[in-house]
Amino acid sequence: MARIVMKFGGTSVANIERIRHAARHVKREVDAGHEVAVVVSAMSGKTNELVGWCTEAAPMHDAREYDAVVASGEQVTAGLMSIVLQEMGIQSRSYTGWQVPIHTDDSHGSARITGIDPENLDERLSDGWVPVVTGFQGISDKGRVTTLGRGGSDTSAVAVAAAVRADRCDIYTDVDGVYTTDPRIAPKAKRLERVSFEEMLEMASLGAKVLQTRSVELAMAQGVRLVVRSSFDDPDAPSAEGSEWGATGTLVCGEDEIVEKQIVSGVTLAKAEAKITLRRVKDRPGVAAAVFGPLADARIVVDMIVQNVSEDGGETDITFTIPDSEFDKALNVLKAAPGLEYDSISGSKGGAKISVVGVGMRSHAGVASSMFKALADKGINIQLITTSEIKTSVLIEEEYAELAVRALHTYYGLDKADG
Amino acid sequence: MARIVMKFGGTSVANIERIRHAARHVKREVDAGHEVAVVVSAMSGKTNELVGWCTEAAPMHDAREYDAVVASGEQVTAGLMSIVLQEMGIQSRSYTGWQVPIHTDDSHGSARITGIDPENLDERLSDGWVPVVTGFQGISDKGRVTTLGRGGSDTSAVAVAAAVRADRCDIYTDVDGVYTTDPRIAPKAKRLERVSFEEMLEMASLGAKVLQTRSVELAMAQGVRLVVRSSFDDPDAPSAEGSEWGATGTLVCGEDEIVEKQIVSGVTLAKAEAKITLRRVKDRPGVAAAVFGPLADARIVVDMIVQNVSEDGGETDITFTIPDSEFDKALNVLKAAPGLEYDSISGSKGGAKISVVGVGMRSHAGVASSMFKALADKGINIQLITTSEIKTSVLIEEEYAELAVRALHTYYGLDKADG
């Protein structure tokens, strides 16, 4: 017997029929003897409707009232899920964020969970009930309803799993797991059986939008094992052979659980990246702050940053990337920035960032150089390079993006055998 | 300066434009220096949508979860109303039932308010804020959200008004007051300036569906003065001359505030009433229970009841009315009722109940007989008569209903001067 938290996203609870389908997944686990808590998002489209009303009421609206309005979406789903579970003969009770309670700070609209009192849920679980908890929300010290920001339901699920010391947190979504790359680009992409928290973080922030980054960070910090799987699966399908969690899906876990560490686990792509280069910048303490401070003040998110070793003359080149949409704004901000001395500023839109990610890189030299060779073999020019412990990223021309992804996917042996 | 509770029903907050219009009514009172608390219903249609989902999830669903789902409707309106008020420069904060808190018993779906802690609202009001409270709901001792049943928002408003010792509770709806009769039947119907709680109760339960009966009972018990008025009025219209509440509308108040007591204040009509007569029933203790007990068990609501004085032989006739739709069911229930002895059972559908209501009847003899004469003058046959202290009702054939209403309306001097 295990204790499992099952989280269903908006498309998995889009209407009563979908909620009933999701409930059959819950029933399968209950029938198998597990203790189950459920976390739900709002029915897909509902959050947008509620946000739309707030904006229509006042373009700049009070975040406290926004939260009061928007949090109602999950409340509806939780009650409906409980009704459906009861109809299936499962004892169930819904819990809003304040009823659990899930404590948060008072950063309305993007609150952080500060703690969960597990008593109510623990009692229900021990009694064989299925508590259904609203994702995405909590309550502040001031007794006001808060929301965690978009995608926060994943984070709620992980936090609940940590609070009730669950053996696993299953994230049901509209894809059946985490893939080695985007199957729309590389049809030979294959589903990963397991991926480490660290790899997942690098992939999530790079555009593999299966799990919200915050939820993976929290899972890693709390040691909560995640399974990403599809709610569109047949809930009554027999368990996949040898799979602990009973079906397809990807286990996101600590590295210690991953026996055969791939050098490269995945290839990710982010398009529409613009680069800006400042030539012969005076290299003195504080120069990076002089460049990136004004950009941060203008709320421009900078991605890759490359600074060459300073030449003898105490001058250096700095290059960084930003979304294409911020290109003109960023140029203007830098041209107006005080105390910034350089020879020239230039740049261009239309880049693509390709990254290879894998915990095996740590113990395996030469991944970067092999990556450059694989791209050179296809005649693809590399404009920028950045590396981290388990990731190597390059910026290339956008038109080569898909070719590069497919080439690297094949090069690192990620293609499906039957693909 | 007064302290006012303003309640807006579903059609008055049907969309953001309507909410903004309602908020202008609030602003008018705030600008006049009053302390204002607002109580809101769900946007019209929303409660039906939520109820529909519950029924789709399971035809027989847990009332606790039904309440969790359905109570979300008012939560949305309260937040949106606060946003709109803030946009108008008014400090405002929304409150759900559990945030006030409004305590109720745990009769989910039809809970009764057991008490309201006024501290939160009092503090906001004293600080010049406008608290916006969700109608229709509260919280049970078990920490579960409860709803008061359909129309409960009026009751919430009256209870809030009593808790904060408001000078007045303004009920904004889609009509501009209480009329002497249904204007669709009698175009000469006129709006009452004032009507007593007692009259309002007789009129509400008889089909003048402006205010929910429970809310009037509570207002009478707590001495909360109500004003029924239209949210469709121009919020910026100058105050009606001599009107304390600043516009059109009807004040529902204690009899002591009504100087000129009308003998008859209104004429009401209920159609589709069926009557059933039991002839020569054995008249012994418990016979009424033997008749009406089985009907109550079958959840058939009985309206008028007439029992003639027993004849010498210890037998009597009993006649009562029920909705047409319950006619067949009621006959079957009585035929199967144990221990009930009578000679014959008969009845018919298609009756109409006409009532004249007025506190002046108490001190004025002969209202009943003058009513019968007025109907006889039009050739209308009376089938049944019941009377109470401030009301006389008759059952007539349905096809004469409108004629009877207009005749009585004219007879008692209720027609508009210019009508």
Side-chain angles (χ1 to χ4, degrees), chain A residues 76-91:
Chain A
V76 171
T77 322
L80 293 173
M81 176 62 86
S82 269
I83 289 175
V84 167
L85 287 170
Q86 290 172 7
E87 177 82 349
M88 292 179 175
I90 297 169
Q91 289 183 298

Side-chain angles (χ1 to χ4, degrees), chain A residues 143-177:
Chain A
R144 299 299 309 177
V145 171
T146 54
T147 68
L148 311 184
R150 281 302 176 102
S153 289
D154 287 348
T155 308
S156 300
V158 172
V160 166
V164 302
R165 301 167 310 286
D167 298 285
R168 216 170 70 219
C169 180
D170 293 355
I171 308 284
Y172 283 80
T173 179
D174 49 6
V175 296
D176 68 349

Side-chain angles (χ1 to χ4, degrees), chain A residues 94-225:
Chain A
S94 71
Y95 287 86
T96 57
W98 62 268
Q99 283 173 320
V100 171
I102 296 174
H103 301 286
T104 74
D105 61 23
D106 60 359
S107 302
H108 284 275
S110 59
R112 293 193 81 86
I113 295 174
T114 54
I116 296 182
D117 296 350
E119 291 77 16
N120 283 330
L121 301 180
D122 265 340
E123 192 183 332
R124 291 290 188 188
L125 287 166
S126 303
D127 290 349
W129 284 58
V130 173
V132 181
V133 179
T134 54
F136 178 64
Q137 64 192 259
I139 185 165
S140 75
D141 285 349
K142 300 192 179 83
R144 299 299 309 177
V145 171
T146 54
T147 68
L148 311 184
R150 281 302 176 102
S153 289
D154 287 348
T155 308
S156 300
V158 172
V160 166
V164 302
R165 301 167 310 286
D167 298 285
R168 216 170 70 219
C169 180
D170 293 355
I171 308 284
Y172 283 80
T173 179
D174 49 6
V175 296
D176 68 349
V178 181
Y179 276 73
T180 50
T181 195
D182 186 341
R184 287 168 303 182
I185 293 169
K188 292 180 181 172
K190 66 183 177 202
R191 185 172 50 79
L192 291 161
E193 281 291 318
R194 294 176 182 228
V195 66
S196 73
F197 292 122
E198 291 85 349
E199 289 168 319
M200 193 65 211
L201 278 176
E202 292 289 8
M203 298 211 264
S205 61
L206 290 172
K209 290 157 189 156
V210 178
L211 284 177
Q212 206 216 4
T213 304
R214 274 167 71 188
S215 67
V216 181
E217 288 171 353
L218 186 63
M220 184 164 70
Q222 299 277 344
V224 174
R225 303 162 75 233

Side-chain angles (χ1 to χ4, degrees), chain B residues 36-50:
Chain B
V36 177
V38 174
V39 175
V40 289
S41 299
M43 296 157 90
S44 63
K46 279 292 149 191
T47 301
N48 285 341
E49 181 183 63
L50 295 165

Side-chain angles (χ1 to χ4, degrees), chain B residues 323-347:
Chain B
D324 273 357
S325 55
E326 303 278 25
F327 181 69
D328 295 335
K329 185 176 169 190
L331 280 182
N332 291 335
V333 165
L334 289 177
K335 284 173 184 169
L340 186 60
E341 293 174 47
Y342 53 84
D343 267 14
S344 69
I345 183 167
S346 62

